[in-house]
Amino acid sequence: MSRWDGIDEFVATAEAESFSQAARRLGLSTSGVSREVARLEERLQTRLLYRTTRRVSLTDAGRAFLARCRELIHDRDEALAAVGEEDGEVKGLLRMTCSSAYGERYVAPAVNAFMLAHPKLSVHLELDDAVRDIVNEGFDLAIRFGRLTDSRLIAKRLASRTRRLCAAPAYLDRAGAPTTIAALESHACVLGATDAWPLREGEREIAFKPQGRFRCNSGQAVLDAALQGLGICQLPNFYVDPAIADGRLVPLLEDNTPADEGVWAVYPHLRLLPAKVRLLVEHLERGLG
């Protein structure tokens, strides 16, 4: 029995607050993860987790042990990455996260092409519109948009995205096209996850608060509502550009388009950045840029 046995399973379970979620993350069975954590507790003669039928939570001892285990795992993974870099191979497991729509359309195809060039690399890509805590959840890499504020992370700009206002021709035939930002107040708007739309007025950026009958935190659902004529939407260009190109949507107030937002690769501060992360970031920069 290795002294490492159970540590990865414990960290994954503590972060996910669930044996089943930890099992999915590690590619193991739920019973196997639970068994390894129980064996670890038995070796330590200490309860690390409280277990209920709905969730798992840390004991005080478990919380202190989790912090040390994360340090151990980071040091171990850096050592393994250094060996991998010495023999010129990209290998091992890389965990990353990205928003759903952008990930499906752009990041996943780029990652798949990277994996074809590096057959010893495994990638777990989690598509989630929530902003994940990649340090505490054990991710190697995340793709994010806009302004970044987490000082624990290093960020590298990969590309940019533009938010565009647009509406279907059927809606504009009924309601007319707005010619100023102020005119948007009299229009039906299709709302996404945010309460305000960034727009540019002269040299300054303003936040316009739209009103409408439909709201959804899915960009694809907002796009569908706009295509059906429910109102004006503001979405990143990768959602709307194809529909604008074939005439299903009409761009609006293009002089008031906000400044481009950055698309960033972000990863934790490490003394040695693993080759798998460094090379994938370089590949994404070439592909997405």
Side-chain angles (χ1 to χ4, degrees), residues 146-164:
R147 297 180 180 87
L148 305 173
T149 58
D150 193 333
S151 61
R152 299 173 300 168
L153 304 178
I154 296 173
K156 183 176 182 62
R157 189 180 180 110
L158 302 176
S160 62
R161 71 172 186 177
T162 303
R163 292 181 179 271
R164 303 186 73 179

Side-chain angles (χ1 to χ4, degrees), residues 181-200:
I181 294 175
L184 287 173
E185 295 179 2
S186 62
H187 280 268
C189 298
V190 182
L191 313 180
T194 59
D195 292 326
W197 290 348
L199 292 167
R200 184 162 46 190

Side-chain angles (χ1 to χ4, degrees), residues 68-99:
R68 299 299 299 272
C69 286
R70 283 173 173 155
E71 293 176 6
L72 287 170
I73 289 172
H74 273 128
D75 288 345
R76 179 198 66 188
D77 289 350
E78 284 188 21
L80 293 172
V83 172
E85 197 152 358
E86 286 174 3
D87 66 17
E89 288 189 304
V90 175
K91 56 190 177 184
L93 173 64
L94 188 152
R95 294 186 64 238
M96 63 183 298
T97 180
C98 181
S99 67

